[in-house]
Amino acid sequence: MPSPSLWGKAVEHFSPVKTTMLIRHTAILACSLLAAVTLGGCELGEPEQETPPRVIAWTEVKPYTGGDALRSLPGVVRAVKRASIGFEVGGTLESVGVDVGDRFEQHQLLAQLNQRDFKLGVERARAAVAEARARAREAENDFDRLQALAAENFASQSALDSARAALDTARSRVATTEASLALAEDDLSDAELRAPYAGEVSARLAEPSQQISPGQPILRIQGSPDNVEVVVSVPETFVHRVQPGSEHVVTFPARPGLSTPGKVTEIGSDATELNAYPVTLLLGDTDNPPRPGMTAEVAFPLDPAGVVTHDKHLVVIPVAAFLPVEGQGKVAFVYDEDTGTVRRRPVSITQLTGNSALVSEGLQAGEVIASKGLEFLRDSEPVLLMGKGTARSEQPATVSESP
């Protein structure tokens, strides 16, 4: 304790204002230290709150007991006969007699080029043929006359040989000009575009007054809508099940209730995109045939019920109970009753039908799996089954369902 004399000297050293501020700052600092110690002691004494387990929707894996399993694959209807047609010669397009959707008969005139130049070509070729034939007759007369004179030794052999050569040349000229005439007439005929078969126009690709090159498409046509087929892309893992000549039921989403048999006529040998093979089915006769371009669904039968794949029977799960994972295929989350957690497990999906999926590997009948919200689950995550068990926390648990 400082002596009164020292305290008095300290007070005398500071002015009254500075003395008051010093006392105030000292009091504030002391209160702050006391509050920090008090709050720190409270935090250390309060226990951490445990995160409640996630509540999941679940289902039990069922054995497949239905009839023959079917796999529906989408396809597109198209006409059996279809082509892009154009002129074999070039020129100025004079007219197009049909439009999109118009039907036509076989050999009907569909479009025509300006024929003036082609007609002039035919006339020139005909004149050349007439001239060549006249020269050939003259050469033939000269040869006959010299041949008669040579028989009486009034003409030399060299003169006769020259006459024979002239005759051969004239006859060759006739053949050449006749061939040119035939080509000119063909060009004139090719200036008209006629239908190779009965059908309808699906696209119009050129307009009158347009300059056309040989082979340039003018119209896209397709055969009669009564003669149609369906093309489907069959995955590489399934194409071996499809046999040429086999028949399958074909339905059309835009025509509820309409179904018709389809016969496999072609199976592609080269895979297209996504490693799928094109398979073509010829549709049977029907009173109300589907139009080209419509969507179709073809039902291909799988192995019959009860088939064993790798010593395991087929089982059925909801389509929402498996999750495609990049680089891992498809997975399901299986509930482990002993640990109260879900484990991620790879599965093999054989078929999707409606809201169900057939599984050939990865699951067994009777197992419990998560049926919704799989994208929110983690491997080995503690969970509670919705509608079973008691809550492990007084706070409400979150449900792993997407909004």
Side-chain angles (χ1 to χ4, degrees):
M1 185 72 180
S3 63
S5 60
L6 292 177
W7 179 258
K9 292 180 179 180
V11 173
E12 291 177 357
H13 179 73
F14 294 100
S15 64
V17 176
K18 290 185 178 181
T19 301
T20 303
M21 292 180 61
L22 177 60
I23 295 172
R24 183 180 299 173
H25 290 168
T26 303
I28 293 174
L29 179 59
C31 291
S32 299
L33 291 175
L34 179 61
V37 172
T38 303
L39 292 176
C42 293
E43 291 180 357
L44 291 175
E46 183 179 348
E48 294 184 1
Q49 301 218 350
E50 181 183 357
T51 302
R54 189 188 303 270
V55 177
I56 63 170
W58 60 279
T59 186
E60 182 178 339
V61 179
K62 302 292 185 182
Y64 177 71
T65 58
D68 289 347
L70 298 176
R71 180 166 185 175
S72 296
L73 296 177
V76 177
V77 180
R78 70 181 187 186
V80 174
K81 293 181 178 180
R82 59 200 179 280
S84 295
I85 59 175
F87 297 96
E88 295 185 13
V89 295
T92 303
L93 185 59
E94 185 172 88
S95 63
V96 180
V98 291
D99 211 337
V100 176
D102 290 349
R103 295 196 175 188
F104 50 81
E105 300 298 327
Q106 187 176 15
H107 304 310
Q108 178 179 332
L109 180 63
L110 303 178
Q112 183 174 300
L113 296 177
N114 189 305
Q115 296 185 337
R116 184 191 62 178
D117 292 341
F118 299 103
K119 290 180 178 179
L120 290 176
V122 170
E123 293 301 326
R124 285 195 297 268
R126 286 175 178 172
V129 169
E131 180 182 356
R133 287 174 178 175
R135 290 184 179 278
R137 286 194 298 269
E138 182 180 357
E140 186 175 0
N141 292 335
D142 291 343
F143 175 75
D144 291 342
R145 184 172 59 256
L146 285 174
Q147 190 176 32
L149 293 175
E152 297 179 3
N153 294 325
F154 290 112
S156 63
Q157 186 63 36
S158 61
L160 182 61
D161 293 341
S162 298
R164 182 181 288 108
L167 177 60
D168 291 342
T169 300
R171 288 174 175 175
S172 297
R173 175 63 179 169
V174 170
T176 300
T177 55
E178 287 177 345
S180 298
L181 175 60
L183 290 175
E185 290 174 342
D186 287 344
D187 288 345
L188 178 59
S189 176
D190 291 339
E192 295 181 344
L193 185 60
R194 296 187 177 273
Y197 46 76
E200 62 182 16
V201 180
S202 59
R204 177 167 164 165
L205 307 176
E207 299 298 331
S209 301
Q210 186 175 340
Q211 191 66 29
I212 302 301
S213 303
Q216 178 180 340
I218 303 300
L219 298 170
R220 191 156 53 239
I221 63 172
Q222 54 191 21
S224 171
D226 298 335
N227 191 15
V228 292
E229 60 189 12
V230 172
V231 179
V232 297
S233 294
V234 179
E236 59 181 354
T237 56
F238 186 74
V239 69
H240 66 280
R241 301 176 185 266
V242 183
Q243 300 297 326
S246 59
E247 291 191 354
H248 308 274
V249 177
V250 183
T251 56
F252 310 91
R255 298 273 187 89
L258 174 62
S259 64
T260 181
K263 184 177 181 179
V264 176
T265 57
E266 298 176 3
I267 300 178
S269 57
D270 291 333
T272 57
E273 56 186 19
L274 302 179
N275 291 335
Y277 291 81
V279 174
T280 304
L281 299 93
L282 181 64
L283 299 186
D285 295 333
T286 178
D287 296 335
N288 188 18
R291 293 187 60 83
M294 293 182 65
T295 301
E297 291 185 354
V298 183
F300 292 96
L302 299 174
D303 295 333
V307 67
V308 176
T309 303
H310 299 294
D311 299 330
K312 295 182 180 179
H313 290 276
L314 293 173
V315 295
V316 183
I317 64 174
V319 293
F322 70 89
L323 179 69
V325 178
E326 185 176 359
Q328 301 181 30
K330 300 174 178 63
V331 299
F333 285 86
V334 184
Y335 178 70
D336 187 343
E337 187 175 1
D338 294 336
T339 62
T341 61
V342 285
R343 302 301 301 270
R344 186 159 67 174
R345 186 186 298 174
V347 295
S348 295
I349 305 299
T350 300
Q351 176 203 357
L352 296 177
T353 302
N355 295 324
S356 301
L358 283 182
V359 181
S360 59
E361 294 183 15
L363 295 176
Q364 295 182 358
E367 289 186 310
V368 174
I369 60 175
S371 62
K372 291 183 180 180
L374 275 65
E375 61 272 20
F376 302 107
L377 296 178
R378 303 187 310 274
D379 191 24
S380 301
E381 179 180 355
V383 297
L384 292 176
L385 300 184
M386 183 180 296
K388 294 186 65 175
T390 57
R392 303 181 185 177
S393 173
E394 295 182 356
Q395 295 188 6
T398 57
V399 178
S400 61
E401 293 189 30
S402 57

